[in-house]
Amino acid sequence: MKCPILALLLTLLQMSRPGVSQPIITQDPGSVTGTEEGEVTVPCSVTGAPPGPVRWYRDTGSGRQYLYSTSPPPPNERNDPRVSQVHQNHETDLSIRIVNLNLRDSGMYYCEKYGGIDVTLIARGSGSRLSVQEKFRPPVIEGPQGRVLAGNAVALTCRSNGPPGTKFTWKKNNRTVPGEQSNTSSLQTAKEDIRSTVTCETTDPRTQQTLSSEPYSLGASITVKPDVSIEANPERVKVNESVSLTCRARGFYPERVSVSWVQQGGAVELAAERGENAENEDGTFSRNSVLNVTVTQELSGATVSCRVQIEGLAEPVQKEHTLVVIDPKPDQGSGPGSDLVIPVAVAGVVVLIVLLLAVGLYCRFRTGKKKAEIMRTPVSSTETHDKELTYASLDLQKKANRRSMMIAESEVCAYAEIKGAKVRGAKVRGAKASDDLTYASLDEANLKRKTKEPGGGGRGGEPPGKETEYASVNFRKN
């Protein structure tokens, strides 16, 4: 093999002969711009060059990097598969095309001409600068670090690689949010927003290209506080009996939740059934946790608490329940026959009620007997009674036609109202066979006849316009 220096000298000697021109390499002195993931053409033309390969390099010095050659590459080098010659086997146009650009492709690109048997550099272009711009990508929405309680505002940020002047548009459930045109937004939330989505659109001011972000679920940033309650079955128990306590956590979000039972302000944690989540129609969740407790004498009046902790709440939601005991002293009434205490007590009450009813009926019977004796006592028209009477029976009909008498009392005297059929064979002056009603006024001592007084009814409640027979018996009203 000949010495490379000698070969280069021979090549230069041939080019220096009369009629042989020096090769000229022309490159675009300006900047060539490409876009990330796109492609670009770096121009290069050669005139007056002898046969030989053309090689491309990026940058110089320690950063010099081999890219491509029209002939086999130098030892220990290989062509970049993204680089190719624009016109294959062209004598003068040696431009290259680079595809799938990335930001690291930016730099100075040099086109070099090699000749001779030993492939010696005979000419180099001035270089072309390639600037690769970042591709305008769809924006990405970033939410807050933690969750916020539903009903509060959530802060969102729209990340974009667009150039200065990029426009931002926010949409919630595909509806534009008014007044939000920057890359940040503060959206008011509600319980229903756990199923809402938000998008951010960006517009490149250079190309007016508009790109939209992936939908962002507000449920990823919202916490819905649960409604917690405790149910006891039974509500009241005896000492050493068991009670089943059910803690119901309703309408919480997100799904991950911790339910625990504690006693004495949290000093003692109680073992309970964990329970499973159930999804509600609105997207929230519910869970039941059951705690079975045997109420001992020491637990009488004790308080147990159900605590529900979910992400986004600084403190757990807590509900308390006090154990209610029917008989806090089990020693009283215990032992043989203790189960008969209540039945015996009930039987005693029944016997007492029966005795009271018997006494009442006896008193009523005695009172009715006295009344009957008084009513059987004949009332004479000339007799004055000093007895204390309550009722008077005026028998104005035959014995066979007697009827019962309804009595009313007033503050001064008592009246006896006699209802009966027609008076057969009555020889009472002023009475007709068709009269059905006679009044007796018990306010005078003797039985006498009284005619009606002009302009009104008779004394003692007699019917107006009628002749009345009445009897009067002195008595003191009870």
Side-chain angles (χ1 to χ4, degrees):
M1 179 180 291
K2 295 181 180 180
C3 178
I5 297 177
L6 182 59
L8 178 61
L9 290 175
L10 292 175
T11 301
L12 294 176
L13 181 61
Q14 293 177 354
M15 295 177 61
S16 63
R17 291 177 181 177
V20 178
S21 60
Q22 181 80 15
I24 299 174
I25 298 179
T26 303
Q27 287 189 267
D28 188 353
S31 177
V32 179
T33 302
T35 303
E36 186 181 12
E37 299 181 1
E39 64 179 46
V40 69
T41 297
V42 182
C44 176
S45 62
V46 179
T47 57
V54 173
R55 295 175 180 173
W56 284 85
Y57 289 86
R58 183 175 66 222
D59 296 333
T60 59
S62 60
R64 179 178 172 86
Q65 182 179 358
Y66 171 80
L67 294 177
Y68 178 77
S69 175
T70 57
S71 65
N76 301 323
E77 299 288 356
R78 63 176 184 174
N79 292 343
D80 189 328
R82 300 177 301 143
V83 181
S84 62
Q85 190 174 358
V86 176
H87 303 287
Q88 293 290 336
N89 302 321
H90 199 280
E91 293 183 358
T92 59
D93 190 352
L94 302 177
S95 302
I96 58 174
R97 179 184 294 111
I98 306 175
V99 298
N100 196 22
L101 291 170
N102 57 62
L103 298 178
R104 295 187 302 273
D105 292 332
S106 296
M108 292 295 295
Y109 284 73
Y110 295 96
C111 176
E112 298 179 352
K113 176 64 179 177
Y114 289 82
I117 300 175
D118 295 324
V119 189
T120 303
L121 177 64
I122 59 177
R124 173 186 289 177
S126 60
S128 295
R129 178 171 296 281
L130 172 62
S131 297
V132 181
Q133 297 179 350
E134 185 178 7
K135 179 183 178 180
F136 185 58
R137 291 185 173 85
V140 177
I141 296 179
E142 295 180 358
Q145 294 296 325
R147 292 178 177 269
V148 298
L149 192 62
N152 297 326
V154 59
L156 303 177
T157 302
C158 184
R159 300 294 183 187
S160 173
N161 66 341
T166 299
K167 297 179 181 180
F168 296 86
T169 302
W170 291 89
K171 291 185 177 182
K172 179 180 178 181
N173 297 329
N174 295 324
R175 294 183 179 181
T176 302
V177 179
E180 299 289 348
Q181 297 180 350
S182 66
N183 69 325
T184 60
S185 176
S186 180
L187 296 179
Q188 194 69 24
T189 64
K191 176 182 177 180
E192 295 74 20
D193 284 330
I194 60 177
R195 289 180 172 175
S196 296
T197 58
V198 176
T199 56
C200 171
E201 294 182 352
T202 53
T203 302
D204 190 339
R206 300 166 301 185
T207 63
Q208 299 303 312
Q209 181 184 11
T210 299
L211 299 176
S212 178
S213 68
E214 291 292 329
Y216 179 85
S217 174
L218 284 179
S221 301
I222 294 178
T223 292
V224 179
K225 187 177 180 180
D227 180 20
V228 181
S229 62
I230 296 179
E231 295 181 4
N233 185 25
E235 295 184 354
R236 301 167 64 90
V237 296
K238 293 181 180 180
V239 174
N240 297 328
E241 289 185 348
S242 295
V243 60
S244 178
L245 302 178
T246 303
C247 180
R248 304 187 186 277
R250 294 286 179 265
F252 60 84
Y253 190 89
E255 181 178 8
R256 187 175 180 180
V257 64
S258 173
V259 180
S260 60
W261 290 86
V262 294
Q263 183 188 347
Q264 298 177 358
V268 180
E269 185 169 351
L270 306 174
E273 297 179 10
R274 179 177 178 270
E276 298 295 335
N277 286 350
E279 186 173 4
N280 303 319
E281 293 183 357
D282 59 358
T284 60
F285 296 88
S286 297
R287 178 186 287 189
N288 295 339
S289 178
V290 180
L291 173 68
N292 294 313
V293 180
T294 299
V295 183
T296 62
Q297 181 69 34
E298 292 74 13
L299 290 178
S300 176
T303 299
V304 294
S305 302
C306 175
R307 292 181 175 179
V308 181
Q309 179 68 65
I310 60 175
E311 184 182 357
L313 293 181
E315 298 292 336
V317 181
Q318 180 170 301
K319 191 70 174 180
E320 297 181 346
H321 178 78
T322 302
L323 299 175
V324 180
V325 181
I326 298 176
D327 184 7
K329 298 180 180 179
D331 294 335
Q332 296 180 359
S334 61
S338 59
D339 295 336
L340 299 177
V341 173
I342 295 179
V344 170
V346 172
V349 173
V350 172
V351 171
L352 180 59
I353 293 175
V354 171
L355 291 175
L356 292 176
L357 289 175
V359 173
L361 292 174
Y362 177 77
C363 293
R364 183 181 181 90
F365 172 77
R366 295 291 298 171
T367 303
K369 186 175 181 181
K370 290 181 179 181
K371 291 179 181 179
E373 292 175 356
I374 295 172
M375 293 181 68
R376 286 195 296 268
T377 304
V379 180
S380 173
S381 61
T382 60
E383 182 181 0
T384 300
H385 295 271
D386 294 331
K387 297 180 180 180
E388 295 182 5
L389 298 180
T390 303
Y391 301 96
S393 175
L394 304 182
D395 189 357
L396 301 182
Q397 303 183 37
K398 287 184 179 180
K399 199 175 223 181
N401 295 323
R402 290 180 180 173
R403 298 228 179 178
S404 62
M405 183 165 56
M406 299 178 61
I407 299 104
E409 292 184 356
S410 68
E411 294 181 358
V412 178
C413 58
Y415 297 89
E417 177 182 326
I418 304 172
K419 293 184 178 180
K422 295 180 179 181
V423 182
R424 296 181 181 178
K427 295 181 180 181
V428 181
R429 187 182 304 172
K432 298 180 181 180
S434 61
D435 290 346
D436 293 333
L437 189 62
T438 303
Y439 290 84
S441 176
L442 308 182
D443 59 0
E444 295 187 7
N446 299 313
L447 179 64
K448 57 185 178 179
R449 179 183 300 275
K450 181 176 177 60
T451 59
K452 68 175 182 177
E453 296 178 1
R459 185 179 178 182
E462 62 197 39
K466 296 283 186 178
E467 289 187 357
T468 306
E469 293 185 359
Y470 59 92
S472 175
V473 180
N474 288 338
F475 71 99
R476 291 194 298 274
K477 186 179 178 183
N478 289 333

